[in-house]
Amino acid sequence: MSERLRIALTKGRLQDKSVELFEAAGLDCAPVRSPGRRLIHALPNYPLDVVLAKAPDVITYVEHGVCDLGVVGKDTILEKGGAFYEVLDLGFGRCRFALAVKKGSDFYGTYKTRRIASKYPNVTRAFFEGKGMDVDIIKIEGSVELAPILDLADGIVDIVETGATLKENGLEPIEDVHQVSARLIVNTASMKLYKSEITDFLFRVERELEGRA
Ligand code: PRP
């Protein structure tokens, strides 16, 4: 008998794109399209239950095996890490991590320890460690662009999609840190226990992605 799989989707933008992809792959996602306040939805024509969660929680649920699969941004994967298989680049949610500073400021032109604000302290640390550069990192929860404007930081490491937020706040990207897109992740035990079910799901999604390429 086929096991029902459970997948955690990152709520918001990635949720909508995931639903589009799964529907194109033949899965009826009507319950997820009009979820109301419900957080878990059984798909009517495929043995898959969909859980809606915040990005870092998607990783937590998959790592603990309460969800077999997850859709989450590479940004969250890089920041949070964890033990799971990252099996597919889903091609949407494309953006990048960039180092940005106040327009015209000379970030590298001093020996003073630089101060960097970010929602992603681990990504920031790894980036500057890779350069052998000592920086002070300040964790900010949102609208990080404020930190340099308020002179709390010399720069930020943040997600840039269109670049509009930086531009409208007098900042400019000076270096790319990492490319980001949505990834499909799989619990390591589920991959063995439910190999045929997961393979079927992956096959459908991959076939649709190949059609898009
Ligand atoms: C993200 C990011 C930037 C903005 C970039 O913020 O942190 O602020 O989007 O997008 P853009 O390059 O297209 O302008 P988000 O909307 O997630 O809000 P937050 O800063 O409050 O977390």
Side-chain angles (χ1 to χ4, degrees), residues 13 75 95-96 119-120 140-145 156-169:
R13 278 176 267 189
D75 52 333
C95 52
R96 63 195 164 107
K119 281 187 282 188
Y120 301 88
I140 298 287
E141 298 300 331
S143 302
V144 186
E145 295 82 1
I156 61 173
V157 167
D158 197 23
I159 297 288
V160 180
E161 198 178 342
T162 63
T165 312
L166 290 179
K167 202 166 177 203
E168 287 185 29
N169 290 287

Side-chain angles (χ1 to χ4, degrees), residues 39-149:
L39 297 170
I40 180 159
H41 303 273
L43 299 193
N45 73 341
Y46 193 80
L48 185 69
D49 293 334
V50 177
V51 168
L52 301 174
K54 290 231 177 199
D57 298 336
V58 167
I59 291 182
T60 301
Y61 294 139
V62 171
E63 260 202 299
H64 285 267
V66 296
C67 291
D68 307 294
L69 304 139
V71 174
V72 66
K74 184 70 178 174
D75 52 333
T76 308
I77 294 175
L78 288 168
E79 180 62 21
K80 190 173 157 75
F84 47 79
Y85 296 123
E86 186 183 319
V87 293
L88 273 182
D89 182 340
L90 297 175
F92 52 78
R94 282 197 191 285
C95 52
R96 63 195 164 107
F97 273 123
L99 169 64
V101 299
K102 267 192 198 165
K103 204 165 168 29
S105 77
D106 186 9
F107 181 78
Y108 289 112
T110 171
Y111 289 111
K112 231 180 66 194
T113 303
R114 314 271 70 191
R115 224 183 214 196
I116 310 295
S118 185
K119 281 187 282 188
Y120 301 88
N122 294 329
V123 170
T124 304
R125 191 171 302 110
F127 175 66
F128 284 104
E129 271 176 12
K131 291 174 164 296
M133 192 171 156
D134 196 25
V135 294
D136 288 336
I137 297 168
I138 302 177
K139 170 89 195 287
I140 298 287
E141 298 300 331
S143 302
V144 186
E145 295 82 1
L146 277 171
I149 297 174

Side-chain angles (χ1 to χ4, degrees), residues 13-60:
R13 278 176 267 189
L14 294 191
Q15 174 187 337
D16 297 339
K17 294 283 182 192
S18 305
V19 164
E20 274 173 33
L21 172 64
F22 296 167
E23 287 191 333
L27 281 60
D28 179 356
C29 293
V32 192
R33 280 196 175 274
S34 42
R37 297 295 296 167
R38 255 186 100 87
L39 297 170
I40 180 159
H41 303 273
L43 299 193
N45 73 341
Y46 193 80
L48 185 69
D49 293 334
V50 177
V51 168
L52 301 174
K54 290 231 177 199
D57 298 336
V58 167
I59 291 182
T60 301

